[in-house]
Amino acid sequence: RMILMATYHTGQIPFKDVFLHGMVRDGQNRKMSKSLGNIIDPLTMTDKYGTDALRFALVFNTAAGTDMALAEDKIKGMKHFGNKLWNIARFILSNTETNTLEQDVQKIPTTPADIIMMEHLEETIRSVPENIENFQIHLSAQQLYNFVWKEFADVYIEAAKIQMQDASQKVKTQKILLESLVTILKLLH
């Protein structure tokens, strides 16, 4: 109907691709229904957990053509992910200098943690847009979630805390932290 009306009024097709997702079900895998009283009100969830948490929860487990069970705890879990991102950003911004990105750090030795981090970041940069272009949005969300939580926060930031104590590694580590944070935020956007 939207395509027909837009074509009629403008003479142009408004979009060429349509993403069809399955039905959103409740936590017990029942069809959401007003009569059952199991509907999750998006406005209430937004007020309680934030819009980003709701959006990420909806995308995270929504493979094309499959039904999705949505419960409040999934939205709450994505709020925790948002809090993790906030804490990561706060740590990085409070431990880096504003001129870190502008400094030439090519001659500073790279640690094994730096190499592994940059390899994983490059893989994420390559595969997230590829998955989105192939309408595998849930895979992009899951990959970003796992990369941010398990690889960046749990592994690299812990290694970076030690590396920043070494004057010869500090600037390069700060640069990697800042560039990684900016890239993660762009990919999540």
Side-chain angles (χ1 to χ4, degrees):
R1 183 175 66 171
M2 290 171 57
I3 293 174
L4 292 175
M5 287 300 289
T7 305
Y8 175 77
H9 287 291
T10 66
Q12 296 178 353
I13 297 173
F15 47 84
K16 294 180 182 173
D17 296 320
V18 177
F19 181 76
L20 299 176
H21 62 80
M23 190 180 313
V24 179
R25 298 181 175 272
D26 70 4
Q28 299 171 339
N29 212 23
R30 298 176 300 175
K31 179 180 175 182
M32 286 195 182
S33 164
K34 287 182 184 178
S35 61
L36 289 176
N38 62 347
I39 292 178
I40 294 178
D41 181 17
L43 296 176
T44 303
M45 294 297 106
T46 296
D47 290 342
K48 196 168 183 181
Y49 300 110
T51 305
D52 291 333
L54 176 62
R55 288 178 181 154
F56 206 66
L58 287 169
V59 169
F60 194 76
N61 289 321
T62 308
T66 60
D67 290 351
M68 169 193 172
L70 180 66
E72 187 172 343
D73 62 331
K74 287 186 180 184
I75 301 167
K76 185 178 181 181
M78 293 308 147
K79 181 180 191 297
H80 293 312
F81 179 65
N83 288 343
K84 187 72 163 179
L85 278 172
W86 173 262
N87 289 331
I88 289 169
R90 193 176 64 184
F91 169 78
I92 292 171
L93 295 175
S94 66
N95 287 291
T96 55
E97 300 155 9
T98 56
N99 62 354
T100 303
L101 287 175
E102 299 166 4
Q103 295 181 11
D104 181 21
V105 293
Q106 298 303 323
K107 296 179 180 152
I108 297 174
T110 304
T111 67
D114 295 340
I115 294 168
I116 292 169
M117 171 60 200
M118 296 310 292
E119 286 174 357
H120 289 177
L121 182 61
E122 287 299 320
E123 169 62 23
T124 303
I125 290 168
R126 185 194 58 73
S127 63
V128 166
E130 184 179 299
N131 285 331
I132 290 173
E133 289 170 9
N134 292 324
F135 298 100
Q136 299 292 323
I137 300 166
H138 67 292
L139 292 178
S140 291
Q142 291 169 7
Q143 184 175 14
L144 280 166
Y145 180 92
N146 288 328
F147 173 75
V148 168
W149 204 297
K150 295 177 183 173
E151 295 176 39
F152 190 58
D154 289 353
V155 178
Y156 188 71
I157 288 180
E158 294 306 315
K161 290 175 184 176
I162 297 166
Q163 288 180 193
M164 285 192 294
Q165 294 173 3
D166 181 354
S168 67
Q169 291 297 322
K170 185 175 182 177
V171 174
K172 187 157 195 168
T173 302
Q174 290 173 330
K175 183 175 176 63
I176 291 171
L177 285 168
L178 276 172
E179 286 182 354
S180 299
L181 176 62
V182 169
T183 301
I184 287 166
L185 293 176
K186 285 180 182 178
L187 289 170
L188 282 167
H189 179 73

